[in-house]
Amino acid sequence: MLNKIKDLATTLAPRLIEIRRHIHSHPELSGQEYQTAAYVADVLSSCGLHVREAIGQTGVVGELKGMNNHHQWLAIRTDMDALPITECTNLDFASRNTGIMHACGHDVHTTVGLGTAMVLSELRESLPGNIRFLFQPAEEIAQGASWMIRDGVLQDVQAILGVHVYPTIPGGVIGIRHGVLTAAADDLELVIIGESGHGARPHEAIDAIWIASQVITNLQQAISRTHNPLRPVVLTIGKISGGQAPNVIANQVKMWGTVRSLHPDTHKTLPGWIENIVANICSTYGAKYELNYRQGVPSVQNDPALTQLVESVALAAWGSDRVQTLSEPSLGAEDFSVYLQHVPGMMFRLGVAHKDQPNYPLHHPQFEIDESAIVTCVVTLAYAAYKYWHNCHSSH
Ligand code: NI
């Protein structure tokens, strides 16, 4: 089966590169993936999949029935949205939509999703289970997964696979992370409310700037003293504003920040913990506060059995030279984690670094990939999907 998959994917390579370049040159922002979705739906229909459009607003679902009669599905998830960045690559297939760019590789994800559907649809006769392809919108604003789930895409799904390109891993190398892959990301907005007064008479006022500085300092110190250091938390206040004049005590300070964490228990307790510190400091000095804490997406926790499956598939397909075990998670966020609140899943990384060209980070206006990695990814996903069902049946 592996050789059949490799042959099909290799034959499809020129077509896949054409698809990727088409999507790359027509990027669309989160929640506005209309043309991309229509294009995806066309390709899926042409391989005989059952296609549903406008799922999760601008998402697409393609279903491939295997040779069985059960109702369970394996989901393969990719994302389709681009970023509000002006592309500076000079590629002849660079973005034609000014100010919008596929700088996070979601053009590649969409392509490998389509490629996997093309390959597996050719092998339908020997496919031992059902595959549901999810092409979600709005990953960059961490909304698309929730929209898709609300529209029922996880119904009868028993596991989900996903992939993200990575520009620090060599092109065509598969990166496997056991356990946690990405961080939970929360936002906070905090207003400290004091009382204005003369800068020379602080005892008659409540100095919101000084209290804000106490809050920031205490939060940073308390993280190191009250949290398990093996369960990291990063709190960054990235924006702060307050005050009117050098000799006037400020009556209000507003600040905005991001809070990243890796452990699910820590993620749950963070809002209460932060509010407690803010409330105590404010009440000590007579200030009031308004805290708006928004819990964002949770961390991606890879399922052990599925991680082992993808790792063994990648090793069988590419050998140990082209499989990298990742020793560290990332403190970036990924809304694939929202699916994992409902079903076990696994996201791997696809190396896309060029050997002989400069490589730029994700979200950079010059981000570009080694396109040979596309076939590697299609083979890995297609073979993992096949093996998933093959193993399920042989263990019954
Ligand atoms: Ni991304």
Side-chain angles (χ1 to χ4, degrees):
M1 179 55 66
L2 178 58
N3 286 334
K4 273 190 200 166
I5 290 173
K6 278 191 171 179
D7 288 348
L8 280 166
T10 309
T11 313
L12 279 172
R15 170 80 179 122
L16 293 174
I17 287 174
E18 188 181 283
I19 289 174
R20 186 259 157 167
R21 292 182 178 186
H22 174 84
I23 298 171
H24 188 87
S25 58
H26 300 88
E28 294 173 293
L29 291 175
S30 305
Q32 296 167 36
E33 304 88 341
Y34 300 103
Q35 285 180 29
T36 312
Y39 182 83
V40 163
D42 268 0
V43 176
L44 293 175
S45 304
S46 72
C47 353
L49 270 71
H50 175 247
V51 179
R52 287 179 287 150
E53 293 180 73
I55 303 292
Q57 303 193 27
T58 42
V60 182
V61 173
E63 293 185 334
L64 180 63
K65 274 279 206 181
M67 291 294 116
N68 55 48
N69 286 316
H70 64 72
H71 302 293
Q72 298 293 306
W73 296 83
L74 170 70
I76 293 179
R77 174 275 204 174
T78 59
D79 43 15
M80 303 188 292
D81 55 329
L83 287 156
I85 292 175
T86 301
E87 179 161 353
C88 306
T89 59
N90 291 325
L91 295 165
D92 52 12
F93 55 91
S95 171
R96 292 184 199 168
N97 298 341
T98 313
I100 308 178
M101 177 189 178
H102 270 297
C104 197
H106 298 190
D107 53 336
V108 179
H109 306 162
T110 305
T111 306
V112 298
L114 291 173
T116 307
M118 288 164 152
V119 166
L120 289 177
S121 67
E122 295 278 334
L123 299 169
R124 187 193 290 248
E125 307 289 298
S126 32
L127 186 62
N130 306 323
I131 318 284
R132 183 178 291 155
F133 294 89
L134 312 182
F135 294 84
Q136 79 157 71
E139 195 285 325
E140 294 293 354
I141 56 168
Q143 299 290 319
S146 307
W147 297 347
M148 296 287 281
I149 293 166
R150 214 174 296 149
D151 281 355
V153 301
L154 289 183
Q155 201 183 341
D156 298 320
V157 165
Q158 62 177 43
I160 186 164
L161 298 177
V163 61
H164 204 294
V165 299
Y166 220 56
T168 55
I169 301 175
V173 170
I174 302 291
I176 302 284
R177 171 74 191 159
H178 292 263
V180 56
L181 178 75
T182 61
D186 302 340
D187 293 322
L188 70 81
E189 203 180 307
L190 172 63
V191 190
I192 307 283
I193 304 154
E195 223 172 283
S196 201
H198 196 296
R201 303 183 62 78
H203 55 290
E204 294 171 358
I206 297 172
D207 184 350
I209 287 186
W210 173 69
I211 295 167
S213 73
Q214 296 298 310
V215 166
I216 295 171
T217 307
N218 269 272
L219 284 171
Q220 297 299 357
Q221 290 174 344
I223 282 172
S224 90
R225 296 296 86 187
T226 60
H227 275 109
N228 180 345
L230 298 176
R231 296 178 176 182
V233 178
V234 170
L235 185 152
T236 294
I237 301 294
K239 186 179 170 189
I240 183 163
S241 80
Q244 295 102 40
N247 59 352
V248 177
I249 287 174
N251 67 341
Q252 185 171 303
V253 169
K254 202 165 175 184
M255 54 183 116
W256 295 262
T258 181
V259 187
R260 307 290 169 117
S261 59
L262 289 177
H263 197 281
D265 293 347
T266 309
H267 187 223
K268 272 189 213 118
T269 55
L270 274 170
W273 178 83
I274 286 172
E275 174 136 29
N276 196 28
I277 288 173
V278 172
N280 280 321
I281 292 170
C282 286
S283 86
T284 302
Y285 299 116
K288 296 194 177 97
Y289 71 91
E290 284 162 16
L291 175 62
N292 182 5
Y293 192 96
R294 286 179 300 272
Q295 280 209 303
V297 296
S299 59
V300 168
Q301 306 279 338
N302 279 334
D303 175 77
L306 292 167
T307 308
Q308 215 158 47
L309 169 82
V310 174
E311 188 170 39
S312 68
V313 157
L315 284 169
W318 313 114
S320 54
D321 290 356
R322 285 175 61 188
V323 179
Q324 212 177 81
T325 307
L326 306 175
S327 58
E328 290 177 357
S330 144
L331 285 173
E334 163 62 68
D335 85 352
F336 184 69
S337 60
V338 180
Y339 299 101
L340 304 188
Q341 305 307 296
H342 305 270
V343 289
M346 196 276 172
M347 172 173 268
F348 60 93
R349 296 207 186 283
L350 174 67
V352 291
H354 288 283
K355 260 198 210 80
D356 42 16
Q357 274 169 247
N359 289 291
Y360 297 95
L362 295 170
H363 297 204
H364 190 282
Q366 284 167 280
F367 175 71
E368 172 49 6
I369 62 143
D370 173 357
E371 286 181 319
S372 71
I374 290 172
V375 165
T376 310
C377 190
V378 166
V379 170
T380 307
L381 272 174
Y383 192 44
Y386 168 80
K387 275 297 221 182
Y388 174 80
W389 285 120
H390 181 82
N391 294 352
C392 268
H393 295 310
S394 48
S395 65
H396 282 170

